[in-house]
Amino acid sequence: MKKFLALVMAAAMLLSLVSVSASAEDYTIRIYSNSNSTERVNWLVAAAKEAGFSISLDDNSVISGDTAAIQAANENKDGDILFGLNETRWGQVVDGTYENLSLVDWTPAWAEEVGNYAYTGKAYGLVVQNVLMLYRNDELGTNGEALHFQHWADIVNCGYKWYRQGKVGGTTNANINSAMLYAFTDPTSPAGGVSIDGWKTLWAYCAGGNFTGDSYGFDPLNRGDVQVSTFYSSSLYGMIDSAAESSSTPLVGAPEPENWNLVEIDDGTYYIAEYLGILEREGRTEAQTEIVKAFAEWFGSAETQAAWADEFDSFPCNQVAAAAAYETTPGIYTLKNFALNTVEGTDMTYAAYVAAHSAEWTNIMTNLGFYWKDMSAPNAEPDWDNLDWATLTQAAQ
């Protein structure tokens, strides 16, 4: 259970004003992020202003998903801060994949508080995130039957109606796909390092699943449209707390008897961490860079991250913040993490393997037409035995 932090954070933010020069308000810090729901943007703008900073951050009506965020930052070349994303994107930024994005050498005062969630000297962890598979266990779900899979992809044989997302792109969608494909890694496969059976299974997930027009899988499960669904860990408990506002047969949480559960999956789940880094920016003065660094210090600090966690049900990378925000670690963050498992036949973790193949996977799904939105007009299943994978792994021309 989370602790109440409002009074503590109000005091902390007032104290931060003492340490930030008034000149900070004269420079507007340009931020790019995919962690940019309207609620998050409004909260951060207000909290930053109270702490003495002026920031500019587009919400997800303008920039939606990690691909859009990183492309906008690269194309516009006006960014000061990059935060959110995941190891896949951050590995690319650190390695110089994007021609206009490079990071300031930077080590925050709280660097040791985030443990291994760090690209040392470059970017540091903010939030631990994973994807979850949920099911209803009431009369609108499994009627008390417990669901236990070996792999995420076993959903296609579960015997229940499931929700699937309606587009290829987006951080959560990509993480769900990474979870689905985990059991099918094959470094020798020309199909993006995934066996053909893996792509067949993912197609079955699309063909047999239900897309209900919702952005994510919580709402159709909450309404009882499906029995099994997927969602992201951040905000889950908050969504359950307010579930009755959007359903006459809502999901309920403790202390009432819960009518939902996590599917027990032997593999575990796919974790990522969201990070914070300072971008090089042409024309920014040294004094302005110091303002940006001060903001990054403030935003990633234990105090601010504990408040962020309290507001948005996220779980901080910062161990001090986690201890302040949670009396005990929520069960959804105690699941096995297969993102750190080594892929057989390589010396890469699965997270690194995903990073190496993510562009190919996106191209395959886009070129073959996965995740159609019109459920009444499904796309034709590919002729799996006669596909040109060398072309399919390339972006559509």
Side-chain angles (χ1 to χ4, degrees):
M1 180 182 297
K2 291 189 298 180
K3 300 175 183 177
F4 291 99
L5 298 169
L7 294 176
V8 174
M9 284 312 303
M13 288 180 181
L14 286 172
L15 285 173
S16 70
L17 288 169
V18 176
S19 60
V20 178
S21 169
S23 65
E25 295 182 349
D26 298 330
Y27 180 74
T28 298
I29 299 167
R30 179 62 173 145
I31 299 173
Y32 286 93
S33 178
N34 63 316
S35 185
N36 62 338
S37 65
T38 301
E39 296 78 11
R40 283 173 167 79
V41 169
N42 290 342
W43 186 95
L44 186 56
V45 170
K49 182 177 181 180
E50 189 171 357
F53 299 102
S54 173
I55 66 172
S56 170
L57 171 63
D58 295 315
D59 69 17
N60 57 12
S61 67
V62 178
I63 293 177
S64 179
D66 61 341
T67 300
I70 203 77
Q71 288 178 345
N74 188 52
E75 292 170 4
N76 294 336
K77 298 183 285 187
D78 63 350
D80 295 297
I81 292 285
L82 188 64
F83 83 87
L85 312 176
N86 57 40
E87 281 90 350
T88 297
R89 297 298 183 195
W90 278 105
Q92 293 170 342
V93 173
V94 171
D95 291 341
T97 299
Y98 301 96
E99 59 181 342
N100 298 319
L101 298 182
S102 58
L103 296 169
V104 171
D105 291 331
W106 170 62
T107 302
W110 40 263
E112 294 185 0
E113 295 173 5
V114 300
N116 293 327
Y117 293 114
Y119 294 88
T120 303
K122 296 294 184 181
Y124 295 86
L126 292 178
V127 172
V128 178
Q129 185 78 267
N130 62 48
V131 285
L132 306 169
M133 192 177 292
L134 316 170
Y135 69 99
R136 295 187 72 123
N137 53 25
D138 59 7
E139 67 278 2
L140 295 177
T142 67
N143 265 321
E145 179 189 2
L147 292 188
H148 182 176
F149 301 163
Q150 182 178 4
H151 310 298
W152 270 66
D154 293 344
I155 191 175
V156 302
N157 299 311
C158 72
Y160 293 100
K161 184 184 295 186
W162 68 83
Y163 169 86
R164 55 88 169 165
Q165 60 266 33
K167 64 179 182 178
V168 172
T171 305
T172 299
N173 294 344
N175 293 341
I176 291 169
N177 288 331
S178 296
M180 292 288 179
L181 294 174
Y182 173 68
F184 300 98
T185 55
D186 178 1
T188 68
S189 172
V194 171
S195 70
I196 309 305
D197 282 343
W199 293 114
K200 289 181 179 179
T201 303
L202 192 63
W203 187 273
Y205 169 70
C206 292
N210 288 261
F211 174 63
T212 53
D214 297 280
S215 297
Y216 297 105
F218 182 88
D219 289 334
L221 191 69
N222 190 45
R223 294 192 300 264
D225 296 342
V226 297
Q227 288 85 55
V228 188
S229 194
T230 52
F231 198 57
Y232 53 93
S233 55
S234 176
S235 299
L236 174 62
Y237 292 122
M239 294 288 285
I240 290 172
D241 287 344
S242 61
E245 298 175 7
S246 56
S247 174
S248 59
T249 54
L251 301 179
V252 295
E256 301 175 68
E258 294 177 331
N259 60 354
W260 65 277
N261 207 341
L262 298 178
V263 178
E264 184 178 353
I265 303 176
D266 291 344
D267 285 340
T269 190
Y270 185 71
Y271 283 74
I272 59 96
E274 300 176 359
Y275 292 77
L276 168 69
I278 300 171
L279 293 169
E280 297 279 6
R281 178 174 175 177
E282 186 176 354
R284 189 176 63 207
T285 68
E286 185 175 341
Q288 290 168 342
T289 297
E290 290 305 310
I291 293 170
V292 176
K293 287 182 178 180
F295 170 84
E297 284 278 358
W298 168 81
F299 184 41
S301 69
E303 293 82 7
T304 307
Q305 284 304 299
W308 183 271
D310 186 64
E311 185 72 18
F312 301 113
D313 298 301
S314 59
F315 193 78
C317 293
N318 190 304
Q319 298 162 7
V320 177
Y326 293 92
E327 294 175 353
T328 58
T329 301
I332 58 177
Y333 297 107
T334 63
L335 303 173
K336 286 196 300 185
N337 179 11
F338 60 68
L340 300 182
N341 290 351
T342 300
V343 175
E344 187 174 353
T346 77
D347 59 357
M348 305 168 71
T349 65
Y350 186 58
Y353 194 82
V354 170
H357 293 286
S358 61
E360 294 174 296
W361 295 359
T362 297
N363 293 336
I364 288 169
M365 288 184 282
T366 301
N367 288 327
L368 290 178
F370 284 70
Y371 297 111
W372 53 93
K373 290 191 174 181
D374 186 350
M375 293 296 296
S376 66
N379 291 343
E381 184 169 0
D383 179 3
W384 300 106
D385 294 328
N386 294 288
L387 294 177
D388 178 6
W389 293 104
T391 298
L392 292 172
T393 52
Q394 304 299 311
Q397 301 298 316

